[in-house]
Amino acid sequence: MNIGLKTVLFIALMLAGNSIFAQGERITGKVSNSNGAPLEFVNISLRGTNLGAISNQSGNYTIQDIKSGTYTITASFIGFNTVSKEITIIQGQVSEIDFVLQENLVGLQTVEITGRREIGYDNKETFSATKTAALIKDVPASINFVTKELMLDQVAFTVNDVVKNVAGVNQYSFYNDITIRGFRVQGQGNSGTLLNGMRTFTSFWKPQLIPHIERVEVIKGPASALFGNASPGGSINRVTKKPLAESRKSISTTVGSFNTIRTLADFTGAMSEDKKLLYRLNLGFENSDGFRDLQFSRNLVIAPSFAFLPTDNTSLNFDIVYQDSKGRLDRGQAAFGNRDLFTTPISRSLSAVNDYLNEATINATVSLRHNFSESVSFNSSYQLSSYTEDLLEHRTSNQFAALGDGSFDNSKVAMRVFYRKRSWNNNAINNYVNADYMLGSIKNTMLVGHDYFRQEQLPGGSQLEARTYLLKNGGTANAFNRNNASNYILDSKGNPATNVAHFDLTSSIANGLQDMSKYIYNRVTYNQYLQQSHGIYIQNQSEIGPLKVLLGLRQEYFKDYLNYNSPSEEQIEQKALLPRVGLVYTANPNINFYGTWVKGYQPQDGASVINPDAGGPFDPLASEMLEAGVKSEWFQKRVSATLSFYQIVERGGLYNANDPSNPERLVQLGEEKSKGVEMNITGNILPNWSIVAGYAFNDAKITKADDEEVIGRQKPNAPKNTANIWSKYIFEQGSFKGLGIGFGYNYVSDRLGSIVTADKPDIFPSYGIVDAALYYKLDKVQFQVNVNNLLNDIHWVGGYDVLRAFPGSPRSIMTTVSYTF
């Protein structure tokens, strides 16, 4: 038995001993909600004493060492009405007091300033989908989520780890790059990526970390009427953990496959006796080599948060998230030119050992809520974020090695080198007023607001590129043009000589240290640019008996300053009027029907397409969605389910042109259409039996394009069918008490890679992955073992082509020890 396990068992025995030999009378009981489900972390206190307890996962609590007498015992929990009872303690007797707490829906925060009240996989409230506090079942949109409880049960560490739990959402690549209903949501931009309901700037290369995240929300469809610039498929909103009045502390350590070590810590509670000043501190560290050659992750997250509640009418939240990430940029697996992905191992990467990618991100948010009266409130949020990228990489030229006769050597990959440094600063401001009013017998809630977003690339952004082939004039090129072969330096075999050597897929030493001084570089300067957008919006929600009507309208203004702060500065202005209509009909207390129509808008001019070789400027994206569905609650409202039908039309999407002379050039297609059906289920079938499940059918195709070859093709990395299930069961009685088991399955059907080509696109095959977990809880200590990809299936989560395929992880085992105190 190792020292760590002995220490944990010793602590557990000491705690048990303290319980056995405790003196005095005691009170025991159980806390549940109005549906009979147990409530965890409820604060139980005896007035006039310093005695109290916190309810456990089963809702049970015990207060010991109580002297005889009469007391007032109180149960309190955020989001529920406080309940107090009188109790008389008699010597020699054990007193039993149960509490049933009623939800306090009137007290919902209009801005999420203090922590989420719910425990478990289900989440019934949203703040971002309408910019008002609302029950998800009353919102005319499909909103899915992954809670921190599910993240911990699956030992997830990034957003990419958790999207498999949401129907219609899947990875596009290794990067911060997700597909929702067939449309991409990417980092290093400002569309579709939200933090606490505000547009933010993130890395494109690394998936977003989640140790500090309370839940990940997926708001389906073009949410431009609320957020302006938004992806047609949906938006991913990361909600940070907020302070709680109750004292909670937890630490956990995970060790596992691929030399992975993770440590998480979460501390929250009151900083003052009157509980008007609250704090929360989340820490996360990861050190992992991963399963890919030369790839590694060194991630650090420090996320403090503070809430100040001076009065019942005013509250203020301030939180900072600092993320530092080190590793290498992994451009994916390259297979041989016969398009068989199994011809090279999934561990094969094209990096050199002296490559690196260092990124740092800081997000600081201040949120204010003030109630002028019971019916009028003001909400204001300001977010400052910065991102820095420092990169050295050996990567493909997106082609195989060119030969002098115009053919290609399919066992070697043409390579190039990037040195790059860039930094961005971003500011977001959101101000709005909520007002409740009556129009006759009709209850209304009006929202009027203005938001502003500013994104600036700072001076100094530049790149040194060592291109693939040598030219006789002293220059270099990434592609070989046989018709102009006289312009190239040729080797003794008549093949173009390389500036950066080809990567030999048959070699075992191709990843070795490279001499950077031998390359000829071209310098690319990323001219400063500034983007600004602001929107004025109005929204009204009416309740007409069982019918709820949502009407929204936003006027969006966008301005881009190309070559900012230079004599050649150019301003590009765009604007759009964005309507939103939604209906919700309550058939009975458990079933709501809904429908929505909304338009979307996404500027994509020369500055928003970061790669200078991509071309442009391009016309803005325009989208439109129709959706209808039903939301329901089952098992005494412990389980939530949504069934939705949708159609999204987008015009103006960008795809790689597959131009041999410029592999980075993009083209703009005419029209894409996505239509399908989704089903999501989350919650607790029993208090000790949790489930998350979903299915999506998505028919996402190109419907209009200049290149007739692509019309009718499935959109890239947009599977027609996906399915997921994860279930966890905890034994509460008998010999297996405290033991839990978890089981999961994820299915993704075939997907196409790059589709803008007259040739047949590469196909990434379907896969089904089985996950399993075992849990054992001993008082405040939990032992957990997760086995991901239990059957060790080889699969690919996405990709562009056989030169840039993104394999999924093979079998991995993660062991976690958590302590809550």
Side-chain angles (χ1 to χ4, degrees):
M1 183 180 298
N2 61 43
I3 295 175
L5 183 56
K6 288 180 179 178
T7 302
V8 170
L9 292 177
F10 176 75
I11 293 172
L13 290 173
M14 289 294 292
L15 292 173
N18 288 339
S19 175
I20 292 171
F21 295 109
Q23 300 297 315
E25 314 310 329
R26 68 181 190 272
I27 303 173
T28 64
K30 186 172 183 177
V31 188
S32 58
N33 63 17
S34 57
N35 297 317
L39 291 177
E40 188 179 7
F41 296 120
V42 176
N43 185 42
I44 314 295
S45 61
L46 284 181
R47 189 177 299 171
T49 76
N50 60 357
L51 299 176
I54 301 294
S55 61
N56 62 18
Q57 190 176 33
S58 301
N60 298 317
Y61 73 92
T62 299
I63 304 176
Q64 301 189 86
D65 298 332
I66 310 171
K67 296 180 179 180
S68 300
T70 300
Y71 300 89
T72 298
I73 185 171
T74 300
S76 61
F77 191 37
I78 289 178
F80 290 80
N81 294 320
T82 299
V83 175
S84 297
K85 298 181 180 182
E86 281 200 357
I87 182 172
T88 299
I89 303 299
I90 301 174
Q91 186 174 4
Q93 293 186 9
V94 176
S95 301
E96 187 171 332
I97 296 291
D98 294 335
F99 290 93
V100 177
L101 302 188
Q102 301 292 328
E103 294 175 292
N104 181 13
L105 296 181
V106 177
L108 287 178
Q109 307 171 65
T110 51
V111 173
E112 196 162 4
I113 287 177
T114 56
R116 169 176 167 265
R117 61 180 187 155
E118 294 163 302
I119 302 294
Y121 295 174
D122 201 6
N123 181 67
K124 298 187 180 300
E125 300 166 9
T126 180
F127 299 84
S128 301
T130 60
K131 289 192 176 179
T132 59
L135 297 176
I136 289 176
K137 69 176 184 178
D138 293 335
V139 176
S142 180
I143 304 165
N144 307 127
F145 44 83
V146 179
T147 66
K148 68 177 184 299
E149 290 80 12
L150 180 54
M151 299 175 198
L152 291 171
D153 284 348
Q154 295 182 344
V155 290
F157 203 75
T158 70
V159 170
N160 288 24
D161 294 333
V162 303
V163 294
K164 63 184 181 182
N165 296 293
V166 180
V169 183
N170 60 281
Q171 290 181 242
Y172 196 102
S173 64
F174 285 153
Y175 313 141
N176 181 18
D177 191 9
I178 305 296
T179 298
I180 305 177
R181 291 180 170 177
F183 298 93
R184 293 175 78 176
V185 174
Q186 302 169 272
Q188 214 163 90
N190 55 46
S191 60
T193 301
L194 307 174
L195 182 67
N196 294 322
M198 302 183 74
R199 280 183 288 166
T200 190
F201 193 90
T202 66
S203 166
F204 173 68
W205 310 117
K206 292 296 184 72
Q208 292 302 289
L209 306 177
I210 56 175
H212 59 297
I213 296 300
E214 176 70 35
R215 66 185 178 277
V216 175
E217 294 180 335
V218 180
I219 305 170
K220 302 286 184 64
S224 301
L226 281 179
F227 306 114
N229 186 0
S231 171
S235 300
I236 297 178
N237 182 34
R238 293 164 293 132
V239 181
T240 56
K241 295 175 182 177
K242 303 297 192 299
L244 296 168
E246 294 82 14
S247 178
R248 303 185 194 176
K249 301 177 180 67
S250 66
I251 57 175
S252 69
T253 298
T254 299
V255 295
S257 301
F258 318 126
N259 296 317
T260 298
I261 300 175
R262 294 175 185 166
T263 298
L264 306 177
D266 186 358
F267 308 102
T268 187
M271 299 180 69
S272 60
E273 291 186 5
D274 59 7
K275 297 186 177 181
K276 290 186 177 181
L277 182 60
L278 314 177
Y279 83 96
R280 192 156 192 168
L281 175 62
N282 279 270
L283 304 172
F285 174 74
E286 178 190 42
N287 183 26
S288 178
D289 290 343
F291 71 96
R292 302 270 295 150
D293 295 343
L294 297 184
Q295 303 305 316
F296 68 93
S297 294
R298 308 286 187 270
N299 296 308
L300 174 66
V301 177
I302 303 174
S305 180
F306 303 92
F308 180 47
L309 314 171
T311 69
D312 292 338
N313 293 322
T314 304
S315 56
L316 182 70
N317 177 269
F318 175 65
D319 66 68
I320 298 176
V321 180
Y322 170 76
Q323 300 180 68
D324 182 83
S325 178
K326 291 179 170 58
R328 294 189 179 96
L329 178 50
D330 189 353
R331 294 279 184 172
Q333 170 200 1
F336 290 103
N338 58 5
R339 287 185 165 169
D340 184 355
L341 293 171
F342 292 90
T343 56
T344 59
I346 61 172
S347 60
R348 175 68 51 83
S349 78
L350 306 187
S351 298
V353 71
N354 48 325
D355 289 351
Y356 58 81
L357 172 60
N358 300 327
E359 298 177 301
T361 304
I362 300 176
N363 286 286
T365 307
V366 179
S367 299
L368 170 69
R369 173 194 63 86
H370 180 72
N371 294 332
F372 292 101
S373 67
E374 291 185 359
S375 58
V376 179
S377 65
F378 171 72
N379 302 278
S380 180
S381 297
Y382 170 71
Q383 185 180 100
L384 171 66
S385 62
S386 65
Y387 167 74
T388 300
E389 172 188 282
D390 183 9
L391 170 70
L392 167 61
E393 65 164 334
H394 287 74
R395 58 156 297 184
T396 74
S397 296
N398 301 342
Q399 301 176 73
F400 287 100
L403 300 176
D405 61 1
S407 63
F408 294 92
D409 182 348
N410 291 332
S411 67
K412 296 179 181 178
V413 179
M415 299 292 290
R416 51 183 164 162
V417 171
F418 284 171
Y419 264 122
R420 184 164 64 227
K421 292 180 182 289
R422 294 184 292 187
S423 297
W424 286 265
N425 277 346
N426 305 273
N427 295 267
I429 302 173
N430 194 3
N431 296 291
Y432 56 92
V433 174
N434 284 317
D436 297 329
Y437 66 97
M438 298 296 295
L439 191 62
S441 61
I442 300 175
K443 180 181 177 181
N444 293 270
T445 298
M446 178 171 286
L447 171 74
V448 179
H450 171 267
D451 59 35
Y452 170 81
F453 183 82
R454 171 191 169 105
Q455 174 182 308
E456 180 181 1
Q457 181 171 281
L458 301 179
S462 53
Q463 173 178 294
L464 296 179
E465 179 183 0
R467 296 176 179 172
T468 309
Y469 300 107
L470 294 170
L471 299 176
K472 290 181 178 179
N473 63 6
T476 57
N478 280 326
F480 173 69
N481 187 340
R482 185 188 178 193
N483 296 327
N484 298 321
S486 60
N487 294 334
Y488 294 79
I489 297 176
L490 303 179
D491 62 18
S492 59
K493 297 180 179 180
N495 300 321
T498 59
N499 178 38
V500 180
H502 299 317
F503 190 100
D504 187 348
L505 294 175
T506 65
S507 172
S508 60
I509 59 173
N511 297 113
L513 188 70
Q514 302 297 320
D515 187 350
M516 311 302 297
S517 66
K518 291 185 176 181
Y519 300 141
I520 298 173
Y521 295 96
N522 296 319
R523 182 185 180 193
V524 176
T525 298
Y526 295 100
N527 293 332
Q528 279 185 266
Y529 72 77
L530 172 68
Q531 291 181 349
Q532 295 183 97
S533 67
H534 66 98
I536 302 170
Y537 52 90
I538 184 170
Q539 175 182 278
N540 193 79
Q541 300 176 79
S542 304
E543 292 187 25
I544 309 171
L547 182 66
K548 296 179 177 66
V549 181
L550 183 150
L551 301 174
L553 189 65
R554 178 189 181 96
Q555 179 64 60
E556 177 77 3
Y557 301 92
F558 178 86
K559 182 180 288 188
D560 201 332
Y561 298 80
L562 300 177
N563 301 313
Y564 181 56
N565 278 343
S566 75
S568 58
E569 178 178 301
E570 178 185 359
Q571 296 184 19
I572 299 174
E573 296 187 35
Q574 300 176 12
K575 61 182 179 179
L577 187 64
L578 303 166
R580 181 188 191 190
V581 178
L583 301 174
V584 177
Y585 179 77
T586 301
N588 60 51
N590 293 323
I591 298 177
N592 284 2
F593 294 92
Y594 76 94
T596 188
W597 170 73
V598 63
K599 284 193 171 184
Y601 160 81
Q602 196 173 346
Q604 51 182 14
D605 50 75
S608 62
V609 179
I610 296 173
N611 189 337
D613 294 327
F618 301 100
D619 294 332
L621 284 171
S623 57
E624 182 177 5
M625 184 185 74
L626 284 169
E627 181 175 332
V630 57
K631 300 181 181 183
S632 59
E633 295 178 320
W634 306 92
F635 300 100
Q636 297 182 325
K637 297 190 176 183
R638 292 194 304 266
V639 174
S640 300
T642 300
L643 177 66
S644 56
F645 302 85
Y646 62 87
Q647 176 177 287
I648 303 172
V649 177
E650 178 193 65
R651 299 173 182 87
L654 296 176
Y655 289 90
N656 191 284
N658 284 307
D659 182 351
S661 63
N662 180 10
E664 303 300 318
R665 188 169 71 86
L666 302 177
V667 295
Q668 193 162 21
L669 296 184
E671 182 182 274
E672 304 161 63
K673 182 180 292 185
S674 172
K675 55 185 177 180
V677 57
E678 294 171 347
M679 180 179 65
N680 285 276
I681 300 172
T682 57
N684 289 67
I685 298 175
L686 296 172
N688 59 325
W689 183 8
S690 305
I691 188 170
V692 172
Y695 168 75
F697 170 79
N698 178 45
D699 185 23
K701 293 181 178 179
I702 305 298
T703 51
K704 295 180 182 179
D706 293 338
D707 183 357
E708 294 184 358
E709 292 287 336
V710 305
I711 295 177
R713 284 184 180 170
Q714 188 82 358
K715 285 168 55 63
N717 287 290
K720 280 194 173 182
N721 294 278
T722 60
N724 65 277
I725 185 171
W726 172 267
S727 186
K728 176 187 175 183
Y729 184 85
I730 302 294
F731 294 92
E732 292 189 319
Q733 297 177 350
S735 302
F736 296 106
K737 183 178 180 180
L739 184 69
I741 54 175
F743 173 83
Y745 180 76
N746 288 87
Y747 171 78
V748 177
S749 63
D750 292 350
R751 290 135 293 142
L752 296 182
S754 180
I755 61 171
V756 185
T757 173
D759 201 356
K760 184 179 179 181
D762 292 313
I763 297 176
F764 297 94
S766 62
Y767 63 86
I769 300 300
V770 176
D771 300 325
L774 189 66
Y775 311 88
Y776 183 67
K777 192 167 186 179
L778 180 65
D779 196 14
K780 296 181 179 181
V781 179
Q782 176 169 289
F783 302 89
Q784 175 178 339
V785 178
N786 291 74
V787 183
N788 296 321
N789 194 359
L790 180 66
L791 303 181
N792 202 31
D793 286 337
I794 296 177
H795 64 291
W796 288 266
V797 298
Y800 300 96
D801 47 43
V802 294
L803 286 174
R804 294 167 293 172
F806 300 100
S809 175
R811 183 190 298 120
S812 65
I813 301 175
M814 308 292 282
T815 303
T816 304
V817 178
S818 303
Y819 179 65
T820 303
F821 55 103

